[in-house]
Structure formats: C-alpha cells, structure tokens
Amino acid sequence: MNQHANEHARPERAIKTAEDAMRLVEASRLTHIKVGMSDIDGVLRGKYLRKDKFLGALKAGFGFCNVVLGWDLDDQMYDNTRYTGWHTAYPDAMVRIVPESCRRLPLEPGDGEDMLFFLAEFTGDAEPVCPRRLLHRVLKRAADMGFDAFAALEYEFFMFEETPHSIREKNYRNLKTWTPGNFGYSVLRSTVEGDFYRQLLDMCEQMDMAIEGLHTETGPGVLEAAIAVDNAADAADKAMLFKTFTKALAQKNQLMATFMAKWSHEYPGQSGHIHLSLRDARTGESVFHDASRPHNMSVRQGAFMAGVQRYLPEFMAMYAQTVNSYSRLVPGYWAPLDATWGVENRTTALRLIPGSEKSQRIEVRIGSADANPYIALAAALGAGLYGIEQALEPDTIVTGNAYTQTFPDHLKLPCTLWESAQRLRQSQAAQTLFGAAFVEHFAATREWEDRQFRRHVTDWELARYFEII
C-alpha cells in the first residue's frame, strides 16, 4: 500500500499540523481525546481531555503535573533530583501535543468511532529532561550535520497466562507461561495461538507501527517483534506505543506481556535491539554504504560505529536503565559484556550488517527490552554522530565468540546500575550531546533506582545466608 493510499485509509495518519488535528477532532463524535507522554522510565503516562479542552491545548499547550518527570515506576517521588521534587511543590509543566502522532486506538472502540490518541512532550523548563525532546535534540544535531537518521527497534517479551491480580496473589512466583518449552521460530506455536498473533499484527497495522517480523524465541511463551524501519523520530514513537499497547492487548486477552530485562535466572534475558542508518539529507543516498570498501562499510559508518563503541561504557545507563537490566548481562546468554563490534556477529555489542545501499546498517545489541526507547535511541545516535564529528576509528573487529575472549579495560562495560550512573555523570561527551540538565537528572534517577533495590532483601540472599552463615 503506498503512502497516499495509507493516508486515505487512515486519515488520522495524514495529520501534519495543529490545524489538521483540529479539523479531525471537531468532526469527531468523541467527547474526549486521549493524550500520552513518556516519563523517565519509558512508561506512557497520560489522560483524557474533553474535546474543547483538547482543542485549546492544540493551540497553546496545557499544564501537566511535573511529578511525571519526578517519580519512579512505583509513583514514588525522587528525593535527589534538582528539576523537580518536594522542594518545588510539583507545579505544572507545559506540554505540547504532537499533531502528527495522531492515531486511532482499536482497543478503545466507541460509538462507531475508535478513540483518538495523541502523543505529547514537555516544553519550557521541563524540556531539558523530557525523554522525547532529548531524542529530538540529537536528531537536530544529525540534521545540522546533513543527515537523516533511520531506525528500527525490535523487542523480545515473555507472555504469561496471568492477570495483574494473579501475579500479585502469587507474589510473582510460580507464574504460568503462555506456552511451555523451548520453541524458537515455532510454526506450531504461532498456528495454535494464531488468534492472538493476528490481533497483535492487526493492531500494529491499524496504529501505523507495522511489525516487520514476529516469531517465537527460545523459551516458554517468549516472542520477538521487529518494528518496521522508519525515520528515527517516528521509530521511537512507534516503539513506545508498541510496548504499551502490546501489554494492553495481552491483558484484554487475559494474558500478560513483560518487557523486563530478565524475569527468571533460568531463561535468557529480553533484548531491545536498535538498528541504525544515516542518509544524506540532500541526496537521500546512504551515508553508511560504500561498495569499494570491506563489508561495504563507508568511512563515516566506521566513524559512527567507533563513536557508539567508545562511548558505550559511559552511556550504559541509557541502554540498561534498571537494576534488572544488569541481570541480563551475563556470559553465554546472548548479551554482550564488552563494547565490541563484529560483522554479522551476534555475540558482540555492535553488529555491522553489510548489505545494499538500502540495507547497510548497524545494530546496537546492548540494550534491553526495558529501556526507554527515546533515551536508548538518543544514546546510540548521539554517540555515533559524535564519532563522525571526531573522525574516530573503531577498535579491532571481533571474529568468533566474543563471550570467550578477553578485551582491553577501556571496552569493559559497567556491571551495575550505580556504576553506570556514575560513568554517565562523569562523561563530558554526555554533557555535550545531551545537556547537563538531562545528565544530572537522569543519573540521579538511576541512583534512586539502585538505592531502592539495595534497601530490600532478595530471595537469593535468604536462601543462601539465612541458615548456613
């Protein structure tokens, strides 16, 4: 289906301006419109706005309590952040509705008309710490360098035959996975459970976040979905929407999907891989492809790769944002441990994927499924652009199994969230690329997250120490 036909079938996706959005909303029979925005952890927060309120907000923005940027996954307020906290009394921050993000929500049908949904982003004094605005600052850097950035994100997620009530009643133990056994790329599983697959594929098509590939991964009830490539701004929006509404669809089917990095030590973790490429903004030609060089890797792709590689240890907190993220990064579980790169090598942190002028790209494999897509994509793209600016060259290519090899200390990745937060705080590159306000705020939130974990005693500690020590 071409773009024109696509927009005819889904007129909400043809919206480009606030005026376009106003015409659509005014013609709608809906009494309320839904708006959502990313918090620091990548949770989509939002509300319904009455139609007249929404139309006013399209013109002038609206106020939203800045606690959304000042609390954690459990709605607990940070006690260590400068931008917002009890010391500020949590005033409203200004929010801009993003007209071109408009979508229908097939999971919320109404009187012959599905709910309209718009993404939003913080502006004004909140803009420096807003995840979506962070990415768009990096994208402006790319544009100023003459590049258009493209990205595709892919996610692994486990499915359970549970509900939000049952997992709490079970205290998150003895959970029943959607399907049993290791059935990677299983046609059997996808056929038997085809009703849900079809619902997921159809929802993603209707919401303009098409899935390019969907299959079972190795492990009970685990799926992997690759979202089709798009410009980097839209790719991040689609990743945010995909995670949220996949979970919503699962719960509507009396199932649950989790994107946490590692839910059990018995199974591999869940990745959130990022595919990246650059094109010349004037000509549309690939910046990464050069058929005259080994692996078709242009000089600028090599410099981009080198930038991502060099700054990966410093930016690790932006790819692995929770305590649980680091449980995934252990030997032998398809997760890299050093800032390495290779050609078509899935044991390295960065994978060069040689191809045509259209498909030449880099895959950043370090990220986990729990990462905020705006922040993780900003980290990867920003580091790569910085590499081009500095004309960096990547370290020696890795061949074979990277897990069994030893690498120099400068390639070692932080092993804990606390260490990652300190590396980010101290990073001059992060200050330059992301702004001092974001670095300070985000590092503080990761320190908070680590402190919440250290206050608790785990089941592993009880079993290991209670009697014997």
Side-chain angles (χ1 to χ4, degrees):
M1 182 180 288
N2 61 41
Q3 182 66 26
H4 181 73
N6 228 12
E7 292 175 351
H8 179 73
R10 295 194 303 265
E12 67 276 5
R13 297 303 297 137
I15 288 174
K16 304 300 179 189
T17 67
E19 290 71 25
D20 293 339
M22 290 178 70
R23 284 191 290 270
L24 180 71
V25 171
E26 286 172 340
S28 168
R29 295 186 298 274
L30 297 168
T31 60
H32 293 75
I33 310 298
K34 199 169 193 175
V35 178
M37 67 209 74
S38 171
D39 72 1
I40 296 297
D41 284 291
V43 176
L44 195 60
R45 310 276 187 169
K47 61 170 70 175
Y48 295 96
L49 294 177
R50 196 169 185 270
K51 184 184 288 188
D52 57 346
K53 169 77 172 179
F54 178 85
L55 291 170
L58 268 173
K59 296 178 182 178
F62 68 100
F64 202 105
C65 181
N66 76 6
V67 74
V68 170
L69 297 172
W71 64 14
D72 67 11
L73 292 159
D74 192 38
D75 294 3
Q76 302 303 305
M77 284 67 156
Y78 302 128
D79 63 7
N80 61 337
T81 51
R82 294 177 190 170
Y83 164 69
T84 186
W86 290 112
H87 63 285
T88 69
Y90 299 108
D92 277 353
M94 288 306 296
V95 168
R96 181 184 81 91
I97 295 171
V98 181
E100 63 272 23
S101 70
C102 181
R103 285 165 168 80
R104 295 283 182 181
L105 296 184
L107 300 186
E108 292 192 49
D111 297 329
E113 184 176 7
D114 292 343
M115 174 60 63
L116 282 170
F117 176 85
F118 289 79
L119 286 167
E121 59 187 14
F122 287 94
T123 61
D125 65 350
E127 182 171 337
V129 300
C130 171
R132 193 175 190 274
R133 291 310 307 158
L134 167 74
L135 174 61
H136 281 254
R137 290 196 298 275
V138 175
L139 289 171
K140 183 180 185 303
R141 191 183 198 95
D144 290 345
M145 294 171 67
F147 303 138
D148 289 330
F150 292 83
L153 289 87
E154 56 186 29
Y155 289 106
E156 295 168 345
F157 54 100
F158 271 85
M159 298 279 296
F160 295 86
E161 207 171 286
E162 300 286 353
T163 70
H165 291 294
S166 71
I167 58 171
R168 287 163 171 79
E169 290 163 358
K170 292 182 174 182
N171 201 22
Y172 300 91
R173 296 187 180 92
N174 302 315
L175 302 181
K176 185 178 181 181
T177 55
W178 185 33
T179 56
N182 294 325
F183 277 72
Y185 298 100
S186 173
V187 172
L188 174 63
R189 288 283 187 256
S190 62
T191 302
V192 172
E193 305 297 344
D195 287 349
F196 180 79
Y197 280 76
R198 177 49 56 192
Q199 288 181 54
L200 180 59
L201 293 169
D202 288 348
M203 178 189 73
C204 291
E205 289 287 336
Q206 292 174 56
M207 292 184 64
D208 190 22
M209 50 184 190
I211 295 178
E212 187 174 80
L214 177 65
H215 61 87
T216 59
E217 261 291 357
T218 298
V222 61
L223 301 180
E224 178 172 345
I227 306 169
V229 65
D230 207 332
N231 68 76
D234 287 342
D237 286 343
K238 290 178 180 184
M240 172 64 68
L241 295 170
F242 173 78
K243 291 175 67 175
T244 300
F245 291 102
T246 294
K247 289 186 283 189
L249 178 66
Q251 291 191 27
K252 280 180 167 287
N253 282 272
Q254 298 301 301
L255 300 169
M256 290 194 73
T258 182
F259 289 82
M260 70 182 293
K262 191 158 181 152
W263 77 275
S264 170
H265 67 275
E266 297 177 358
Y267 306 113
Q270 299 176 123
S271 63
H273 296 159
I274 301 170
H275 294 253
L276 277 170
S277 64
L278 296 178
R279 292 193 168 273
D280 187 297
R282 291 177 296 105
T283 67
E285 295 178 352
S286 172
V287 172
F288 283 1
H289 185 268
D290 185 343
S292 69
R293 293 177 55 84
H295 316 301
N296 298 335
M297 182 170 71
S298 71
V299 171
R300 285 185 294 185
Q301 185 181 25
F304 188 98
M305 176 86 76
V308 181
Q309 180 181 33
R310 175 170 296 189
Y311 296 109
L312 207 163
E314 296 179 24
F315 298 173
M316 189 65 181
M318 299 173 71
Y319 299 105
Q321 300 172 9
T322 71
V323 171
N324 184 249
S325 302
Y326 297 82
S327 298
R328 169 177 165 263
L329 302 175
V330 294
Y333 278 100
W334 294 94
L337 308 174
D338 302 271
T340 53
W341 77 279
V343 177
E344 285 291 11
N345 191 330
R346 285 183 167 87
T347 67
T348 54
L350 307 175
R351 173 186 168 219
L352 171 66
I353 304 176
S356 66
E357 198 271 345
K358 182 179 179 181
S359 62
Q360 183 88 9
R361 63 192 188 276
I362 288 170
E363 180 187 22
V364 183
R365 296 180 55 79
I366 193 64
S368 49
D370 58 2
N372 183 323
Y374 296 117
I375 293 175
L377 186 51
L381 179 59
L385 295 172
Y386 211 38
I388 292 177
E389 290 178 328
Q390 297 176 304
L392 299 181
E393 294 185 4
D395 274 56
T396 305
I397 187 173
V398 174
T399 58
N401 186 355
Y403 302 142
T404 62
Q405 301 177 43
T406 302
F407 301 100
D409 286 346
H410 71 272
L411 297 180
K412 298 296 181 187
L413 300 176
C415 296
T416 66
L417 183 58
W418 183 269
E419 183 186 354
S420 292
Q422 306 319 302
R423 293 292 299 272
L424 185 66
R425 273 195 184 281
Q426 297 157 13
S427 172
Q428 275 304 123
Q431 302 274 339
T432 299
L433 290 166
F434 312 127
F438 174 80
V439 171
E440 190 283 328
H441 187 73
F442 186 70
T445 69
R446 297 313 92 192
E447 291 166 351
W448 162 276
E449 188 72 11
D450 185 82
R451 281 195 288 124
Q452 304 320 295
F453 173 71
R454 288 190 283 116
R455 290 172 53 216
H456 290 83
V457 178
T458 66
D459 291 347
W460 184 88
E461 290 170 282
L462 287 171
R464 190 166 185 88
Y465 303 127
F466 190 92
E467 179 182 5
I468 195 68
I469 202 165

